[in-house]
């Protein structure tokens, strides 16, 4: 059986190689310790790097869905508040109409006062119909303008849906068409309030009664629209919660892939330091022989 001769040069080379390997492991653990990550470059783990990139892409999508849902919630919240105010204003106008319908107990001066208040309600209602969210009129459809109604109560918006994508394949409309909430031009709540004001000043009892009926229908339409808005807002709020939950799950997955298990890294680092110190000591003994040792 042949015996391979082991030279001093071979011992030295192998010792230095082992030292370099140990030092490299030590440096890697120190890097993980200092960064808190086990993936510091793609070469650390190409497979995990690909997984991390996919998770980050999904997280970006989920965050955008969450932002869309929050934006939609802002739109719908603004619309809900405006419709609540509109409902109260129409209710007050109808109460004034009922007062004006008491022909035997109210004179021209009192009817003029009622008509003046109805005019003020109409102006306030137009302001309510021009409510906006971040500079966009919430009842103006896709208009590029700042108003949904002009001062006369005429609709000047552009019909069209404002949608928000709140999850993959799920879109929710976040606006309300002004004519759906306040009635079509020529038969809107503004027209009915104008007619009521005119009837009150003229003492037109038939006109006042017709306005009472019309305003009741306007309230029903506003209430129905508000119910629809509330239903959509529930969906949006559910989407916000779903996006938050998904982001948390993805963050946990990303942490499992990228982040270091610090207690384990600390233990490994200490073990590697001990091993490296032992290698240094052993190598020092290998490299100690002098010329005198060879001549013995």
């Amino acid at each position: 059986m042949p015996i391979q001769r082991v030279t001093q040069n071979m011992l030295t080379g192998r010792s230095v190689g082992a030292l370099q390997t140990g030092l490299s492991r030590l440096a890697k653990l120190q890097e993980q310790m200092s960064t808190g990550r086990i993936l510091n470059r793609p070469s650390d783990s190409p497979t995990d790097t690909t997984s991390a990139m996919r998770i980050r892409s999904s997280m970006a999508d989920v965050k955008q869905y969450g932002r869309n849902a929050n934006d939609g919630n802002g739109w719908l919240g603004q619309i809900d508040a405006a419709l609540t105010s509109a409902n109260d204003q129409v209710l007050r106008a109808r109460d004034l109409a009922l007062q004006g319908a008491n022909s035997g107990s109210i004179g021209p001066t009192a009817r003029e006062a009622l008509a003046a208040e109805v005019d003020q309600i109409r102006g306030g209602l137009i302001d309510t119909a021009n409510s906006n969210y971040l500079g966009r009129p919430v009842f103006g459809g896709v208009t590029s303008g700042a108003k949904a109604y002009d001062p006369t109560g005429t609709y000047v918006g552009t019909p069209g849906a404002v949608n928000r994508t709140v999850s993959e394949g799920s879109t929710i409309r976040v606006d309300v068409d002004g004519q759906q909430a306040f009635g079509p031009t020529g038969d809107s709540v503004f027209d009915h309030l104008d007619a009521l004001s005119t009837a009150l000043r003229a003492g037109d009892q038939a006109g006042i009664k017709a306005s009472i009926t019309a305003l009741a229908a306007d309230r029903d339409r506003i209430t129905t629209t508000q119910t629809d808005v509330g239903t959509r807002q529930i969906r949006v709020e559910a989407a916000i919660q779903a996006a938050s939950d998904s982001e948390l799950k993805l963050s946990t997955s990303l942490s499992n892939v990228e982040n270091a298990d610090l207690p384990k890294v600390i233990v490994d680092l200490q073990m590697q330091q001990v091993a490296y110190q032992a290698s240094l000591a052993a190598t020092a003994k290998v490299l100690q022989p002098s010329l005198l040792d060879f001549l013995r």
Side-chain angles (χ1 to χ4, degrees):
M1 180 177 179
I3 298 176
Q4 183 179 3
R5 180 169 178 267
V6 179
T7 66
Q8 183 65 28
N9 190 40
M10 292 172 62
L11 285 175
T12 302
R14 290 177 180 177
S15 298
V16 172
L19 277 177
Q20 289 296 334
T21 301
L23 190 60
S24 176
R25 290 174 182 165
L26 193 59
K28 186 173 183 178
L29 289 170
Q30 286 177 333
E31 183 182 39
Q32 292 179 3
M33 186 73 185
S34 59
T35 62
R37 296 160 54 92
I38 56 176
L39 281 181
N40 291 291
R41 60 189 64 80
S43 59
D44 288 338
S45 175
T47 303
D48 287 345
T49 300
T50 302
S51 297
M53 291 175 65
R54 288 176 178 170
I55 293 173
R56 286 185 182 282
S57 177
S58 296
M59 285 183 67
D61 292 343
V62 167
K63 286 180 179 178
Q64 186 58 55
Y65 291 145
R67 286 192 290 269
N68 291 348
N70 277 302
D71 182 65
N73 197 33
W75 276 77
L76 292 171
Q78 181 63 37
I79 292 171
D80 182 60
L83 291 177
T84 299
S85 174
N87 203 353
D88 292 342
Q89 292 177 73
V90 174
L91 178 61
R92 175 57 184 166
R94 188 168 181 272
D95 288 343
L96 295 176
L98 289 172
Q99 293 180 38
N102 296 323
S103 58
S105 60
I106 190 167
T109 303
R111 289 202 305 272
E112 174 61 29
L114 293 176
E117 185 171 349
V118 169
D119 291 340
Q120 291 300 317
I121 290 174
R122 184 175 183 274
L125 195 57
I126 291 174
D127 291 340
T128 300
N130 281 323
S131 297
N132 68 81
Y133 179 70
L134 299 179
R136 294 282 306 280
V138 294
F139 297 105
V142 293
T143 181
S144 58
K147 302 287 185 182
Y149 287 87
D150 68 11
T152 67
T154 301
Y155 183 71
V156 295
T158 304
V162 178
N163 297 317
R164 291 290 179 269
T165 301
V166 297
S167 64
E168 186 174 358
S170 179
T171 299
I172 298 176
R173 183 172 183 174
V174 298
D175 75 310
V176 167
D177 186 275
Q179 298 185 89
Q180 174 193 343
F182 303 108
T185 300
D187 190 27
S188 69
V189 63
F190 311 113
D191 297 319
H192 300 154
L193 290 173
D194 192 39
L196 173 60
S197 175
T198 301
L200 286 170
R201 286 192 170 92
D204 179 3
Q205 291 298 315
I208 294 173
K209 291 179 181 177
S211 295
I212 292 173
T213 302
L215 290 175
D218 290 332
R219 282 198 66 209
D220 290 342
R221 183 171 51 243
I222 291 172
T223 301
T224 301
T225 304
Q226 195 169 15
T227 301
D228 175 54
V229 169
T231 304
R232 282 187 269 162
Q233 195 161 20
I234 289 173
R235 287 185 60 199
V236 167
E237 289 172 350
I240 292 173
Q241 185 61 48
S244 177
D245 292 344
S246 296
E247 186 176 350
L248 180 60
K249 291 178 182 176
L250 289 170
S251 296
T252 302
S253 299
L254 184 63
S255 176
N256 291 335
V257 173
E258 285 189 336
N259 294 344
D261 182 356
L262 289 179
K264 181 177 182 302
V265 172
I266 292 172
V267 171
D268 291 345
L269 181 62
Q270 290 177 341
M271 291 178 62
Q272 191 59 43
Q273 284 176 333
V274 170
Y276 183 66
Q277 292 298 330
S279 297
L280 282 176
T283 303
K285 290 184 177 297
V286 170
L287 298 180
Q288 271 184 356
S290 61
L291 179 60
L292 184 59
D293 295 322
F294 285 110
L295 295 177
R296 287 176 182 173

